[in-house]
């Protein structure tokens, strides 16, 4: 067991800390995409190597060698100071790594720089009403007509589609091929004629998701990533990143601290909630699980650094991380009793109502990004080697 | 940075696992559990392997390893439901005697496997009715229930002031107690102005011993639970119903996945807790609390669920799965139930009075 980051890393951490302290007043707080504050902050982060750190300079990044520990230190320090780590979203998190992996030189030149600087906002067109857990059965089609793909179909759960400039989209281009081999990965503008975006209000009351309808949307032929029919492989090259990000134990730890504080301030009959033994016991139960997930995260990180696959320790993160977070938020609500119901305009609101909104939001994450049930299939089959369910005797109709 | 077992620890784990694999089959567990074989032979085999001197300095005849290595051993012993004493003579007593100082001879005897020491301080975590020891003029009176590693030649005992003593088994009245877990020996000691050697007046000494014991019990549960999960998965792959392996049904597959999902983070928690005992003393107590309590919870879940995956066979004596089930149950109750230990975790952070 060697848990030290080493002397070089300590110097780096000190530098990050100094940067955060000096510049934190410039950091955006809840400003919308493309606002000057967000764009300026992103530029400052990239120039200093705290965002787009390993993206090559040729594409506008900082161009550092990949070093998992350095990236971790940056994330830890910004999170600890509660300062924005720059622009997130699916363009930066998912499309850019995909393009770096399989994009053409022209695509890298065209898309990476504006994306990492926040000037080009993306949405992800994967799920469809009839292609959820069984994503590979998606039916949105693209047919080549001269030099253009003609796209028709219907996507759902498309986060930020109403804000996006572009979409990266899975479409079926080879209808006769087996389902995983008939998919291609296209990029196109969201202001193309024939696109209709309809907001989908979720249970938190926010319309972050959308349904997106395509009617004869024309896309230049070269805006395909990877070869025709290889879209499933292209998309899967980076799906693991999303799953890892959904159960971040460091975020959970900061919520645990907020929960402890809440239970020290809220009272029942003049007595702190924390002083009620049953509530306190629930807090301690949650704390143990948060602790276990943090050490599990260190184990996964250490395996990555040493070029090993952490196996089950990695496969369980999305399932355990999101379930744990949902339960943590629930204890926050329970600690407030009736006050825990406050939502929206209510003078008794605590912490801007975020206990209720996170409680619901994390139920969304239990379902999204591969449901808990799909996660259990993955753990059972890939992690434990249990047999897959036999295929039905007669193929079900598409 | 390297979070996990070192290369030496992995080798140690593999060789102990193989050693136990050769010697502690289910048949021998059954014989010892039924009182048809004296567990002393197995104890001596563990001494031969070197487990008795694990934590004892080389100058006293031991190998001078760290608590993390002992946790690796505890996990292996739990994995094989090893019916032999370990916690008292190999872990807690060496630590107690080293902390107390001036106990060279006993440490040498422990390392050589010539002395066995049991643990009579369950009351320091939570005393049940009629139990507990008081000291007067250096002599102990009262009762210690649920003594661990019963049958030893000496016992570590604690009084109400949390002072730590060593007493000879011959100086107290004692009787064995039957429990559900026949892979461990438990008994009751009755003190009547019994002379005892004071080892430490500092309550922190006792607390360190309890933390260490908690981590070892957690590691034992980790090993036992992992084995139950492995057995459940193997059974689910092999057992067929409706013309398919039952593990291909999601109802069964998801039970296995849920066990793995809960158990896997426990491994990191136990490793860290064991590491902290010697390397991060400021964190050691809290992490030890959580390791003990959390492994008790996850252990109970895995013990129950793995049994269920085996269907009716899981409930029988034939399969022997119940030895692991009961071992995990023992580790949960011994030296503090999860509720008591979590309350201590809260106190340790000033979150409880």
């Amino acid at each position: 067991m060697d848990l030290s980051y080493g002397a070089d890393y300590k110097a780096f951490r000190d530098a990050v800390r100094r940067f955060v302290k000096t510049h934190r007043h410039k950091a955006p707080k809840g400003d919308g995409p493309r606002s000057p504050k967000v764009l300026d902050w992103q530029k400052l982060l990239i120039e200093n190597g705290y965002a787009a750190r390993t993206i090559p300079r040729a594409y506008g990044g900082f161009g550092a060698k990949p070093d998992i520990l350095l990236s971790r230190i940056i994330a830890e320090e910004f999170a600890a100071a509660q300062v924005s780590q720059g622009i997130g979203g699916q363009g930066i998190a998912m499309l850019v790594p995909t393009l770096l992996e399989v994009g053409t030189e022209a695509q890298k030149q065209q898309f990476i720089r504006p994306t990492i600087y926040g000037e080009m906002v993306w949405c992800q067109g994967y799920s469809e009403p009839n292609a959820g857990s069984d994503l590979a059965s998606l039916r949105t089609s693209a047919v080549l007509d001269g030099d253009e793909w003609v796209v028709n179909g219907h996507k759902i759960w498309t986060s930020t589609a109403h804000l996006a400039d572009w979409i990266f989209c899975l479409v079926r281009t080879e209808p006769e091929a087996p389902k995983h081999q008939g998919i291609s990965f296209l990029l196109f503008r969201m202001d193309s004629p024939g696109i209709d975006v309809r907001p989908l209000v979720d249970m938190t009351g926010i319309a972050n998701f959308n349904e997106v309808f395509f009617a004869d949307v024309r896309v230049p032929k070269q805006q395909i990533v990877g070869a025709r029919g290889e879209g499933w492989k292209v998309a899967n090259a980076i799906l693991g990143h999303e799953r890892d990000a959904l159960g971040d134990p460091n975020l959970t730890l900061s919520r645990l601290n907020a929960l402890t504080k809440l239970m020290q301030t809220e009272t029942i009959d003049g007595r702190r909630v924390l002083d009620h033994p049953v509530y306190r016991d629930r807090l301690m139960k949650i704390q143990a699980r948060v602790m276990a997930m943090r050490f599990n995260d260190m184990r996964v990180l250490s395996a990555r650094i040493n070029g090993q696959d952490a196996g089950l320790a990695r496969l369980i993160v999305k399932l355990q991380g999101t379930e744990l977070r949902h339960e943590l938020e629930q204890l926050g609500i329970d600690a407030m009793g009736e006050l825990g119901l406050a939502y929206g305009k209510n003078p008794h609101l605590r912490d801007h109502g975020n206990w209720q909104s996170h409680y619901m939001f994390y139920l969304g994450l239990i379902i999204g990004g591969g449901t808990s049930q799909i996660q259990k299939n993955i753990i059972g089959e890939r992690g434990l080697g249990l047999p897959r369910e036999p295929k039905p005797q007669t193929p079900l109709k598409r | 940075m390297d979070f996990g077992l070192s290369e030496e620890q992995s080798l140690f784990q593999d060789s102990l696992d193989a050693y136990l694999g050769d010697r502690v089959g289910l048949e021998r567990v059954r014989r010892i559990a039924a009182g048809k074989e004296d567990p002393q032979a197995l104890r001596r085999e563990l001494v031969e392997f070197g487990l008795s001197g694990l934590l004892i300095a080389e100058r006293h005849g031991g190998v001078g390893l760290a608590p993390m290595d002992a946790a690796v051993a505890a996990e292996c012993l739990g994995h094989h439901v090893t019916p032999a004493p370990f916690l008292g003579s190999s872990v807690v007593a060496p630590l107690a005697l080293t902390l107390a100082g001036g106990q060279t001879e006993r440490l040498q005897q422990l390392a050589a496997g010539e002395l066995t020491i049991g643990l009579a301080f369950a009351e320091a975590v939570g005393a049940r009715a009629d139990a507990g020891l008081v000291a007067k003029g250096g002599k102990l009176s009262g009762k210690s229930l649920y003594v661990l590693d019963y049958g030893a030649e000496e016992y570590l005992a604690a009084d109400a002031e949390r002072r730590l003593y060593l007493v000879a088994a011959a100086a107290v009245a004692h009787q064995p107690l039957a429990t559900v877990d026949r892979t461990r020996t438990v008994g009751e000691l009755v003190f009547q102005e019994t002379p005892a050697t004071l080892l430490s007046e500092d309550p922190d000494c006792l607390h360190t011993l309890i933390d260490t014991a908690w981590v070892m019990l957690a590691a034992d549960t980790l090993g036992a639970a992992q084995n139950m999960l492995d057995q459940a998965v193997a059974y689910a792959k092999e057992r067929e119903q409706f013309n398919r392996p039952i593990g291909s049904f999601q109802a069964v597959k998801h039970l296995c996945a849920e066990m793995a999902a809960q158990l896997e983070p426990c491994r990191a928690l136990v490793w860290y807790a064991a590491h902290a005992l010697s390397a991060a003393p400021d964190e050691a107590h809290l992490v030890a609390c959580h390791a003990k309590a959390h492994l008790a919870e996850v252990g109970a879940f895995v013990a129950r669920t793995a049994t269920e995956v085996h269907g009716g066979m899981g409930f029988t004596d034939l399969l022997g799965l119940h030895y692991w089930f009961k071992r995990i149950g023992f580790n949960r109750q011994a030296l503090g139930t999860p509720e008591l230990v979590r309350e201590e975790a809260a106190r340790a952070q000033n979150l409880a009075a």
Side-chain angles (χ1 to χ4, degrees):
Chain A
M1 198 75 122
D2 170 14
L3 302 179
S4 66
Y5 280 16
D8 292 352
Y9 291 105
K10 191 184 172 306
F12 184 80
R13 187 185 291 279
D14 292 342
V16 179
R17 222 169 261 183
R18 272 197 307 276
F19 174 89
V20 170
K21 203 172 164 202
T22 313
H23 298 284
R24 62 177 308 153
H25 62 282
K26 300 177 203 161
K29 281 184 195 136
D31 303 65
R34 298 189 201 81
S35 72
K37 208 165 181 184
V38 167
L39 297 183
D40 290 348
W41 181 244
Q42 182 73 2
K43 186 159 173 281
L44 184 67
L45 293 185
I46 295 176
E47 283 165 1
N48 285 276
Y50 300 142
R53 180 174 175 78
T54 59
I55 310 292
R57 280 184 182 272
Y59 310 129
F62 182 72
K65 254 190 6 248
D67 184 321
I68 297 162
L69 273 185
L70 293 184
S71 304
R72 173 58 66 101
I73 288 168
I74 296 167
E76 281 174 1
E77 289 304 319
F78 277 72
Q82 301 195 326
V83 168
S84 160
Q85 293 181 47
I87 298 170
Q90 288 166 323
I92 290 179
M94 303 197 62
L95 179 67
V96 169
T98 305
L99 289 178
L100 285 170
E101 192 96 356
V102 291
T104 64
E105 187 53 35
Q107 286 167 344
K108 292 179 197 174
Q109 293 287 353
Q110 184 184 354
F111 296 116
I112 294 179
R113 180 188 297 267
T115 303
I116 62 179
Y117 279 87
E119 293 151 8
M120 189 185 272
V121 176
W122 291 82
C123 61
Q124 178 204 61
Y126 282 12
S127 298
E128 296 180 8
N130 288 308
S133 293
D134 183 13
L135 181 61
S137 70
L138 60 92
R139 285 188 279 193
T140 292
S141 68
V143 177
L144 204 54
D145 178 24
D147 283 341
E148 289 175 325
W149 296 102
V150 181
V151 180
N152 279 287
H154 178 184
K155 295 287 177 184
I156 196 169
W157 317 123
T158 320
S159 310
T160 66
H162 55 301
L163 303 169
D165 306 296
W166 283 72
I167 184 168
F168 56 101
C169 193
L170 291 178
V171 294
R172 186 160 302 281
T173 50
E174 334 295 313
E176 302 309 319
K179 67 178 183 179
H180 290 90
Q181 288 152 38
I183 296 168
S184 297
F185 193 105
L186 296 188
L187 312 174
F188 49 94
R189 298 185 60 95
M190 283 299 283
D191 59 4
S192 311
I195 298 184
D196 182 18
V197 176
R198 295 182 205 162
L200 195 59
V201 178
D202 66 44
M203 68 190 291
T204 70
I206 293 170
N208 188 42
F209 290 130
N210 299 274
E211 289 189 88
V212 183
F213 296 84
F214 307 117
D216 291 331
V217 178
R218 302 191 77 86
V219 177
K221 188 182 164 183
Q222 73 280 6
Q223 285 174 202
I224 182 172
V225 181
R228 254 184 97 145
E230 301 266 292
W232 185 254
K233 261 199 257 173
V234 173
N236 266 299
I238 53 158
L239 261 182
H241 286 271
E242 185 182 32
R243 294 214 174 104
D244 288 352
L246 287 179
D248 184 350
N250 294 308
L251 282 179
T252 308
L253 179 62
S254 73
R255 287 303 281 173
L256 177 71
N257 293 336
L259 175 60
T260 309
K261 209 174 140 199
L262 181 74
M263 290 175 62
Q264 284 170 311
T265 42
E266 291 300 320
T267 57
I268 304 167
D269 298 334
R271 198 167 146 217
R272 299 188 311 170
V273 174
L274 187 72
D275 295 333
H276 287 256
V278 176
Y279 281 106
R280 185 165 63 231
D281 191 60
R282 279 180 67 188
L283 179 68
M284 289 300 100
K285 272 186 179 172
I286 298 261
Q287 186 182 48
R289 290 166 62 196
V290 173
M291 202 178 247
M293 287 308 288
R294 274 178 55 231
F295 298 139
N296 187 71
D297 178 62
M298 287 165 81
R299 185 179 167 205
V300 173
L301 175 70
S302 149
R304 276 176 66 199
I305 292 168
N306 300 319
Q308 298 150 352
D309 180 9
L312 274 171
R314 183 176 57 81
L315 291 179
I316 57 111
V317 169
K318 198 265 172 182
L319 173 68
Q320 287 295 94
T322 53
E323 302 272 358
L324 170 58
R325 184 67 188 275
H326 182 62
E327 284 180 50
L328 188 160
E329 304 294 338
Q330 180 171 39
L331 179 52
I333 294 168
D334 287 349
M336 292 182 281
E338 296 93 330
L339 293 180
L341 295 170
Y343 198 63
K345 231 178 171 178
N346 183 322
H348 304 294
L349 208 58
R350 305 289 196 263
D351 302 320
H352 313 286
N354 63 26
W355 296 99
Q356 277 289 356
S357 63
H358 287 210
Y359 175 62
M360 292 187 275
F361 183 73
Y362 269 81
L363 177 54
L365 287 188
I366 284 170
I367 298 165
T371 64
S372 282
Q373 287 64 41
I374 290 291
Q375 298 303 321
K376 287 181 191 176
N377 282 353
I378 293 172
I379 293 164
E381 289 162 17
R382 287 190 222 157
L384 301 173
L386 288 166
R388 293 178 66 94
E389 219 163 340
K391 289 223 163 75
Q393 295 293 317
T394 46
L396 300 175
K397 71 174 174 131
R398 279 226 191 95
Chain B
M1 180 183 176
D2 193 5
F3 187 97
L5 303 184
S6 67
E7 210 169 305
E8 293 79 15
Q9 283 162 340
S10 293
L11 287 171
F12 171 64
Q13 185 178 44
D14 290 348
S15 70
L16 179 56
D17 185 58
Y19 191 83
L20 295 174
D22 287 345
R23 285 163 183 79
V24 193
L26 189 54
E27 284 318 304
R28 192 170 188 194
V29 171
R30 285 186 194 282
R31 282 200 304 276
I32 294 176
K36 291 177 184 160
E37 180 185 323
D38 181 359
Q40 285 305 312
L42 179 57
R43 187 186 77 79
R44 277 191 296 274
E45 286 166 40
L46 298 185
V47 170
E48 268 168 49
F49 185 86
L51 288 192
S52 56
L54 214 55
L55 297 185
I56 295 171
E58 286 179 70
R59 64 177 190 283
H60 298 140
V63 279
L65 292 177
M68 176 120 185
D69 303 284
V72 169
E75 185 191 338
C76 280
L77 293 165
H79 194 272
H80 293 272
V81 286
T82 313
F86 172 72
L87 185 63
S89 301
S90 295
V91 182
V92 176
L95 187 63
L97 298 174
T98 304
L99 286 173
Q103 294 286 341
T104 303
E105 199 181 330
R106 277 202 174 84
L107 284 168
Q108 286 167 340
Q109 289 174 329
L110 277 176
E114 291 158 3
L115 172 66
T116 53
I117 299 182
L119 306 179
F121 54 64
E123 286 72 24
V125 181
R128 299 287 156 173
D130 302 336
L133 301 179
V134 285
K136 205 171 157 191
K139 291 181 174 176
L140 293 174
S141 295
K143 203 194 286 183
S144 182
L145 278 172
Y146 310 113
V147 169
L148 306 183
D149 288 350
Y150 178 79
E153 283 133 351
E154 296 183 334
Y155 292 97
L156 289 171
D159 68 14
E161 308 299 316
R162 302 186 162 254
R163 286 180 288 239
L164 185 71
Y165 301 87
L166 194 65
V167 291
V172 288
H174 51 84
Q175 59 165 335
L177 301 172
T179 77
V180 66
D181 177 18
R182 299 297 166 94
T183 70
R184 263 75 167 264
T185 53
V186 176
E188 171 183 330
L189 305 185
V190 181
F191 297 71
Q192 270 186 312
E193 297 187 13
T194 305
T197 308
L198 179 68
L199 286 182
S200 174
E201 284 190 295
D202 181 1
D204 282 346
C205 176
L206 180 64
H207 295 161
T208 302
L209 302 187
I210 293 172
D211 285 345
T212 306
W214 280 348
V215 175
M216 296 305 140
L217 290 169
D220 193 277
T221 290
L222 175 67
Q226 183 66 54
N227 193 335
M228 287 195 88
L229 169 60
D230 294 347
Q231 291 189 60
V233 167
Y235 188 80
K237 286 178 187 174
E238 179 193 290
R239 165 81 175 165
E240 291 195 2
Q241 286 289 274
F242 305 100
N243 300 317
R244 8 187 307 211
I246 59 168
S248 69
F249 290 100
Q250 289 190 344
V252 176
K253 182 181 294 171
H254 287 190
L255 288 180
C256 295
E258 186 61 39
M259 285 192 271
Q262 291 196 28
L263 190 57
E264 202 57 37
C266 289
R267 184 167 300 279
L269 178 61
V270 168
W271 281 348
Y272 191 88
H275 171 73
L277 286 172
S278 58
D282 293 349
E283 297 171 60
H285 179 51
L286 179 61
V287 192
C289 289
H290 280 320
K292 165 73 163 108
H294 188 57
L295 266 290
E297 303 289 14
V298 174
F301 170 73
V302 171
R304 170 238 151 104
T305 308
T307 304
E308 215 176 329
V309 167
H310 284 82
M313 286 305 290
F315 188 63
T316 64
D317 175 54
L318 205 64
L319 217 60
L321 206 60
H322 63 91
Y323 288 107
W324 282 267
F325 182 97
K326 293 165 182 172
R327 178 115 171 173
I328 290 168
F330 184 97
N331 294 343
R332 181 181 167 106
Q333 307 306 323
L335 294 179
T337 58
E339 291 76 13
L340 287 182
V341 179
R342 279 195 292 270
E343 188 63 353
E344 175 55 27
R347 270 195 300 273
Q349 304 169 81
N350 293 318
L351 297 177

